[in-house]
Amino acid sequence: MFGDVYRGKKVLVTGNTGFKGSWLCTWLISLGAEVYGISKDIPTKPSMFEELALADKMTHYMADIRDYNKMEEIINNVSPDFVFHLAAQPIVSFSYAEPLDTISSNVMGTANILEVLRKYTKPCTAVIITSDKCYDNVEWIYGYKETDAVGGKDIYSGSKGAAEVIFKSYYHSFFNKEDFPVKIVTARAGNVIGGGDWALDRIVPDCMRSWSEDKYVEIRSPKATRPWQHVLEPLSGYLQLGEQLYKNHSLNGESFNFGPQAEYSHTVQEILEDMSVRWHFKSSKEAYQITGDIKFHEAGLLKLNCDKALFHFKWKPTLNYKTLLEYTSDWYYEYYKNKPDMFEYTKSQIEGYENLAINQNLAWTK
């Protein structure tokens, strides 16, 4: 997988205790990497990081990315070959309650990582993950391309757009040199679902918490359309991007979108009805109810154009809509109902995903 570039390499993941970070670390461990992580806390309870006992399988540093001196100390101590920067304040609703916390985490945290890498003297490949919400969303029906304007009407979106501006400034000021040892890119992905997400104010975790107790969930925007994708989809993109940047200096300073195909866009109501089947509800009324209590602005439509990743390294999604829902529902159902070894179960889903990609002859499986 991924040209075997991660085997035996030191890979540092910031935000490793989060949902995406935990999946990424599990995948990197299975690829034979020596994995390190930086995170300021365990963000949820339950926590995928804890349920998979990842602290026993990697080296973890408890630190805040807003602490520049600590970031410099840890990164120089680890001496990583790869960096995947995921650490951020990821919840839109929280950005309304704590705007400065969101801005300091998402903007200054990213700037701190870039500043440490600016002074780093060894070869390193860094993938800086932001979000599809970095785009100035005018809710058109077309997918946003990497050259479209960044920005946002809410603090969270603004912070992600600002992180992209900081990245661009750092690249052109410092990293845009053939002989510079560190290469950097940004990756932008949208809403992801999958087992192990317990974040607040996210539709799938809210459902699973309620459904595990045989309760219905309240939803705010049933007609809101999202390009749903399983968490492994953008992670395969991040890992392939890291591989390609490691091999190809011409990608240095670029940004790439990773999203699902257009037909995977469904409303919140549709995805709840499809997922509730696994939980054996007699009717949709037992699974969810609609509330008009919308406390903050939420985009109704946001799509990504992923042609650039397809052109440069032939990346495309692996799972169809039905399979991504099965992967997600099955993980939670196993966790709440059967309680297997969740690290091994998560690895089995990764292996299943890899096998599906092999059958489709996708580029990153070689």
Side-chain angles (χ1 to χ4, degrees):
M1 300 293 153
F2 309 104
D4 218 24
V5 299
Y6 297 108
R7 185 171 300 280
K9 298 292 199 310
K10 292 183 176 181
V11 183
L12 176 65
V13 178
T14 72
N16 65 298
T17 58
F19 165 51
K20 288 174 74 175
S22 295
W23 273 97
L24 179 57
C25 289
T26 302
W27 202 346
L28 284 165
I29 290 167
S30 74
L31 292 171
E34 186 178 333
V35 185
Y36 299 80
I38 299 174
S39 185
K40 69 181 178 67
D41 57 20
I42 306 296
T44 63
K45 203 71 174 177
S47 154
M48 187 175 184
F49 180 78
E50 292 182 329
E51 295 299 330
L52 272 58
L54 287 173
D56 300 330
K57 302 172 178 67
M58 59 181 290
T59 302
H60 171 61
Y61 295 90
M62 196 69 79
D64 194 325
I65 57 169
R66 291 172 290 191
D67 185 340
Y68 172 79
N69 291 332
K70 197 65 178 177
M71 293 304 102
E72 185 175 44
E73 175 188 336
I74 293 171
I75 291 174
N76 288 330
N77 179 56
V78 171
S79 190
D81 302 297
F82 290 88
V83 172
F84 289 90
H85 173 53
L86 282 74
Q89 193 297 98
I91 306 300
V92 174
S93 60
F94 184 84
S95 73
Y96 282 88
E98 297 291 345
L100 290 182
D101 185 89
T102 301
I103 293 167
S104 62
S105 294
N106 297 354
V107 183
M108 285 308 302
T110 299
N112 282 342
I113 298 300
L114 291 169
E115 176 66 8
V116 174
L117 292 175
R118 178 179 76 86
K119 299 177 181 179
Y120 195 68
T121 58
K122 299 177 183 179
C124 183
T125 300
V127 180
I128 310 298
I129 286 86
T130 60
S131 168
D132 64 346
K133 292 182 178 61
C134 71
Y135 292 108
D136 185 13
N137 185 10
V138 293
E139 300 200 17
W140 60 28
I141 62 173
Y142 311 105
Y144 288 88
K145 296 182 292 186
E146 291 83 352
T147 52
D148 286 326
V150 297
K153 296 182 179 68
D154 59 271
I155 294 295
Y156 177 79
S157 300
S159 73
K160 290 299 186 178
E164 287 282 354
V165 172
I166 292 298
F167 167 86
K168 183 178 181 180
S169 301
Y170 258 84
Y171 168 71
H172 285 287
S173 297
F174 308 113
F175 293 87
N176 189 16
K177 303 182 181 77
E178 283 287 339
D179 60 347
F180 201 80
V182 180
K183 295 177 286 188
I184 59 173
V185 289
T186 64
R188 305 163 181 175
N191 281 20
V192 295
I193 61 176
D197 185 4
W198 281 287
L200 295 175
D201 286 332
R202 283 171 57 82
I203 187 61
V204 171
D206 287 349
C207 285
M208 297 306 165
R209 274 188 289 263
S210 296
W211 294 353
S212 70
E213 299 174 358
D214 297 319
K215 298 178 180 178
Y216 66 82
V217 66
E218 291 187 347
I219 59 173
R220 292 185 300 266
S221 306
K223 301 303 180 184
T225 302
R226 298 287 184 266
W228 305 97
Q229 62 180 333
H230 191 272
V231 63
L232 289 174
E233 302 282 36
L235 293 187
S236 73
Y238 303 164
L239 289 168
Q240 191 179 8
L241 179 55
E243 172 205 353
Q244 294 298 314
L245 181 61
Y246 176 77
K247 295 176 178 177
N248 184 359
H249 194 279
S250 68
L251 298 182
N252 191 27
E254 296 289 335
S255 298
F256 289 88
N257 291 336
F258 297 99
Q261 297 173 5
E263 59 264 31
Y264 295 177
S265 292
H266 293 266
T267 66
V268 169
Q269 188 169 1
E270 287 171 338
I271 198 171
L272 291 194
E273 290 183 357
D274 292 336
M275 289 185 64
S276 66
V277 172
R278 182 69 171 89
W279 291 77
H280 312 299
F281 288 104
K282 294 178 182 178
S283 70
S284 59
K285 290 183 179 179
E286 291 185 350
Y288 67 88
Q289 293 186 11
I290 299 169
T291 175
D293 184 19
I294 301 176
K295 298 182 176 65
F296 48 84
H297 172 268
E298 292 181 292
L301 177 66
L302 202 163
K303 295 181 180 179
L304 294 179
N305 181 312
C306 302
D307 288 349
K308 185 177 179 181
L310 177 64
F311 175 79
H312 281 280
F313 40 87
K314 296 181 173 59
W315 180 87
K316 60 181 180 180
T318 300
L319 303 178
N320 60 35
Y321 176 70
K322 179 176 181 291
T323 309
L324 79 90
L325 293 188
E326 288 174 350
Y327 268 50
T328 302
S329 295
D330 288 353
W331 196 101
Y332 284 107
Y333 195 86
E334 288 296 313
Y335 173 79
Y336 282 113
K337 303 299 183 180
N338 297 325
K339 274 292 187 181
D341 181 324
M342 292 311 297
F343 178 76
E344 292 301 324
Y345 187 80
T346 301
K347 277 182 60 180
S348 74
Q349 285 204 331
I350 292 172
E351 290 165 4
Y353 179 82
E354 290 174 341
N355 288 331
L356 288 172
I358 290 170
N359 291 337
Q360 296 174 44
N361 199 33
L362 297 189
W364 57 265
T365 64
K366 299 176 176 63

